[in-house]
Amino acid sequence: MASAAPRETGAPHATRDHTKAVLKRRIDQALGREAADLVIRGGRVLNLATGALEMADVAVTGDMIVGVGPGYRGRREVDARNRVIVPGFIDTHVHVESTLVTPAEFDRLALTRGTTTAISDPHEICNVLGTEGLRYFLDASLHTALDLRVQLSSCVPATGLETSGARLSADDLVAFRDHPSVIGLAEFMNVPGVLHLDDEVLDKLAAFDGTHIDGHAPLLSGRDLDAYLACGIRNCHECTNRAEALEKIGKGMQVLIRDGSVSKDVAALAPLLDWRNSPFFAFCTDDRNPLDIAEEGHLDHLIRAAIKAGAPAGAVYRAATWSAAQGFGLKDRGLVAPGRRADIVVLDDLDHCAVATVIRNGRVVEDGIFDHGAMPAPVGFGSVRLPPVTPDIFRVEAQGPGAPVIGIRPGSLITDHLTMALPYAGGERRADPSRDLLKVAVLARHGTNRNVGRGFVTGFGFPDGAIASSVGHDSHNICVVGAGDADMAVAVNRLIAMGGGFVVVRDGRVLADLALPVAGLMSDAGADHVRDRLVALRAAARAIGCRLAEPFLQLAFLPLPVIPHLKITDMGLVDVDRFRLLAA
């Protein structure tokens, strides 16, 4: 695998004399001839080679660690007595859009929790806006305080079974390959396209051959997995059980253990993590909203959860830092050691990952580090291109009562493919809230057609009302679940009026909402506003009887036709196992 070029190790066109001067300062401060720019004094450093906790000061010159040992003097000092010093955490796979805030707000949320590097896939905004969305994220990545790296979104659209707002070809992606924030190609979701030799799929893989390529292969095994890996794909964040993870690391894949707002895999996979195999593991959030970050944390939450699940603390921190860096070719970070980037977290407690102080790129994180004045303006306002709807649009015409039904698995992206009898009269199937059989619909919102996919779902549990979202992975059409057509129409029309977002409706009245006008995915307000609105939306969902902890993100993954087993898009119900639309 080609190593990712370090983005920030001095100006790219620095003169040789300037570089020599920098090296002299590092040498003098490492040797103690002059005071270091920064010293973290009196703490215990976690040695990720041995797992030992070693008393030492950490000396920093500019953006680099130059010494680890006793007796350093610093122009600025951080008191780490009775504390533990570890490398900065690396989120190996995140869709910043799915935090529901812009990159600037994500920067504030994640960095203060100890996440100093985040590897993002702007797949969501690219499926809405194409290259405009990709350029926005690449420009934003140059102005965040944390190191926001970008993977080029490989599946726009993700499949041909839905209507996306854009299409990115191999040539479109290659044009951005040399951007300083880019590592490689983002999660390759179209597994059937790989296995069935789809020419467009092979064109993208060939264009990025020899670079880093992220994987996305839920439940893939055996020869199918071999064929997928033979294309140079390096990792997978979709493992949900131990047997799957063991097979994948056994075949050289790095498993990115995920804990987002919906899919929570740490408890199942952390017991596999030990000193021997920790290089084959890392951690990622994928999709984690500001309310969950505020209540639980970011990567710090995953670290706590993994240790609680029985993994050795040293192995967990190694996976969250050094192993993650190695897996993505970021050779300049992941250790508290001389010559490594000064991305450092000072902890009050190791097992509880209690973050006290964060140093990013040699700077102590505080309000002044978040200088977002040059951040590009958000894009994608007005991206919900759908006229108001009436209740009759949700009528499900059919030949009989027996129908496929999507079965929700709480806390999982995987859904069950059920067959159930529904109320039937006059050639129409209807919802049966008394049996937790609700209608679900997906409405195309990109202005290219007026598709509506209709079906039924069980697992939401509410007896009346509706919830709707313009976040619908991966093409982000409007998704709505309801007990009655009238409330479903009110919910969809509210989303249209807001330019996207989340909404809860009952008896024709909006109980709570959150506007997401930036591409229908992100708020143009601050993270605190989003957090407060999410609290109100959760309360409203409970008030109508919804029993899911995260109903909106659970809803948002119903249109994802690359995750087994039954999904729904604007084109209709999708049998994911057979990768085809079901007959209406």
Side-chain angles (χ1 to χ4, degrees):
M1 182 188 70
S3 295
R7 188 175 66 172
E8 303 156 302
T9 52
H13 303 295
T15 66
R16 185 177 299 178
D17 286 344
H18 173 77
T19 302
K20 286 169 63 177
V22 170
L23 292 173
K24 288 177 180 177
R25 290 186 66 242
R26 290 176 182 170
I27 293 167
D28 283 341
Q29 293 187 17
L31 292 172
R33 292 172 180 159
E34 63 178 72
D37 294 342
L38 174 70
V39 169
I40 307 167
R41 181 178 298 286
R44 294 176 297 159
V45 175
L46 178 61
N47 185 322
L48 291 178
T50 66
L53 287 169
E54 301 167 346
M55 292 296 301
D57 301 333
V58 179
V60 175
T61 303
D63 61 2
M64 182 176 286
I65 299 169
V66 297
V68 179
Y72 278 104
R73 298 172 294 114
R75 295 185 176 93
R76 180 175 183 181
E77 296 188 353
V78 172
D79 185 359
R81 286 174 297 177
N82 301 316
R83 290 174 170 158
V84 178
I85 302 167
V86 298
F89 312 144
I90 300 174
D91 188 344
T92 56
H93 178 73
V94 59
H95 303 287
V96 172
E97 311 96 303
S98 294
T99 65
L100 310 177
V101 294
T102 61
E105 289 298 302
F106 172 78
D107 191 20
R108 298 179 193 276
L109 287 172
L111 183 55
T112 53
R113 291 284 191 163
T115 301
T116 54
T117 301
I119 299 169
S120 69
D121 173 8
H123 176 90
E124 319 307 339
I125 199 169
C126 287
N127 266 285
V128 177
L129 302 177
T131 54
E132 181 187 9
L134 179 55
R135 285 193 186 95
Y136 168 65
F137 259 81
L138 289 169
D139 290 346
S141 73
L142 300 177
H143 301 288
T144 52
L146 63 73
D147 190 5
L148 184 63
R149 294 301 178 109
V150 178
Q151 300 283 67
L152 297 174
S153 304
S154 66
C155 295
V156 179
T159 72
L161 302 175
E162 55 194 326
T163 301
S164 180
R167 178 175 292 275
L168 293 179
S169 68
D171 289 341
D172 293 327
L173 298 173
V174 166
F176 297 98
R177 185 169 53 190
D178 295 328
H179 188 281
S181 294
V182 168
I183 292 177
L185 197 60
E187 54 179 323
F188 219 93
M189 306 170 66
N190 193 349
V191 176
V194 174
L195 301 181
H196 293 100
L197 307 180
D198 179 275
D199 190 64
E200 187 174 1
V201 165
L202 294 179
D203 196 30
K204 290 178 181 176
L205 291 170
F208 286 84
D209 185 49
T211 69
H212 184 94
I213 305 176
D214 278 349
H216 177 288
L219 305 181
L220 196 67
S221 65
R223 289 189 175 181
D224 288 349
L225 178 59
D226 292 351
Y228 186 72
L229 292 175
C231 297
I233 295 165
R234 301 298 182 194
N235 59 44
C236 185
H237 59 275
E238 293 290 344
C239 290
T240 55
N241 64 74
R242 298 185 193 186
E244 179 184 8
L246 285 172
E247 181 181 6
K248 286 177 175 173
I249 67 170
K251 292 185 175 181
M253 241 182 170
Q254 188 174 40
V255 168
L256 314 180
I257 302 176
R258 173 179 57 190
D259 199 288
S261 288
V262 173
S263 190
K264 300 181 183 296
D265 305 317
V266 169
L269 300 183
L272 297 178
L273 182 55
D274 57 30
W275 275 104
R276 179 183 57 193
N277 61 29
S278 58
F280 293 93
F281 286 99
F283 291 97
C284 74
T285 59
D286 202 358
D287 304 283
R288 196 163 183 80
N289 68 47
L291 180 54
D292 287 334
I293 295 172
E295 291 181 344
E296 296 179 336
H298 196 247
L299 258 289
D300 55 320
H301 164 68
L302 276 72
I303 291 167
R304 278 190 295 275
I307 295 170
K308 185 176 180 181
V316 172
Y317 281 96
R318 180 195 274 175
T321 58
W322 181 82
S323 300
Q326 294 295 112
F328 285 82
L330 299 171
K331 307 295 187 180
D332 64 339
R333 67 200 69 187
L335 291 174
V336 179
R340 304 295 173 134
R341 180 165 299 283
D343 289 354
I344 299 165
V345 180
V346 181
L347 303 171
D348 284 330
D349 182 89
L350 187 70
D351 287 350
H352 293 93
C353 195
V355 175
T357 304
V358 180
I359 291 91
R360 157 68 189 138
N361 210 25
R363 297 176 63 192
V364 178
V365 172
E366 52 197 12
D367 288 343
I369 202 172
F370 298 107
D371 181 9
H372 295 138
M375 187 72 70
V379 296
F381 293 94
S383 65
V384 177
R385 302 182 180 96
L386 179 67
V389 303
T390 55
D392 60 289
I393 201 171
F394 301 111
R395 177 182 169 90
V396 181
E397 297 180 354
Q399 299 299 314
V405 173
I406 301 170
I408 296 291
R409 295 186 187 181
S412 174
L413 307 189
I414 294 172
T415 51
D416 293 316
H417 186 160
L418 309 174
T419 301
M420 304 180 76
L422 294 157
Y424 179 76
E428 178 186 2
R429 291 180 187 140
R430 297 174 180 169
D432 187 355
S434 67
R435 296 165 55 212
D436 187 23
L437 292 170
L438 305 180
K439 275 189 181 178
V440 57
V442 178
L443 298 84
R445 62 110 158 168
H446 301 296
T448 56
N449 60 49
R450 292 288 179 261
N451 286 353
V452 181
R454 304 170 184 87
F456 295 88
V457 63
T458 183
F460 281 87
F462 52 86
D464 52 21
I467 66 172
S469 168
S470 62
V471 178
H473 300 283
D474 278 308
S475 290
H476 298 290
N477 293 302
I478 285 181
C479 319
V480 57
V481 167
D485 297 351
D487 279 347
M488 292 172 73
V490 171
V492 170
N493 288 332
R494 179 59 176 165
L495 290 185
I496 294 169
M498 293 192 300
F502 299 148
V503 63
V504 178
V505 169
R506 182 172 60 190
D507 297 332
R509 185 169 65 90
V510 173
L511 302 185
D513 59 23
L514 167 63
L516 301 174
V518 181
L521 301 172
M522 293 175 282
S523 172
D524 56 350
D528 290 347
H529 169 79
V530 174
R531 180 198 63 209
D532 293 344
R533 297 312 302 155
L534 289 173
V535 170
L537 282 160
R538 281 187 184 176
R542 288 193 299 269
I544 67 171
C546 184
R547 58 174 176 246
L548 294 173
E550 277 293 344
F552 294 97
L553 287 180
Q554 202 91 54
L555 171 62
F557 284 103
L558 292 187
L560 185 55
V562 294
I563 299 287
H565 295 279
L566 182 63
K567 293 293 192 288
I568 184 169
T569 74
D570 65 296
M571 296 182 182
L573 288 165
V574 178
D575 183 333
V576 181
D577 299 328
R578 293 177 174 81
F579 208 60
R580 68 185 185 191
L581 292 164
L582 297 179

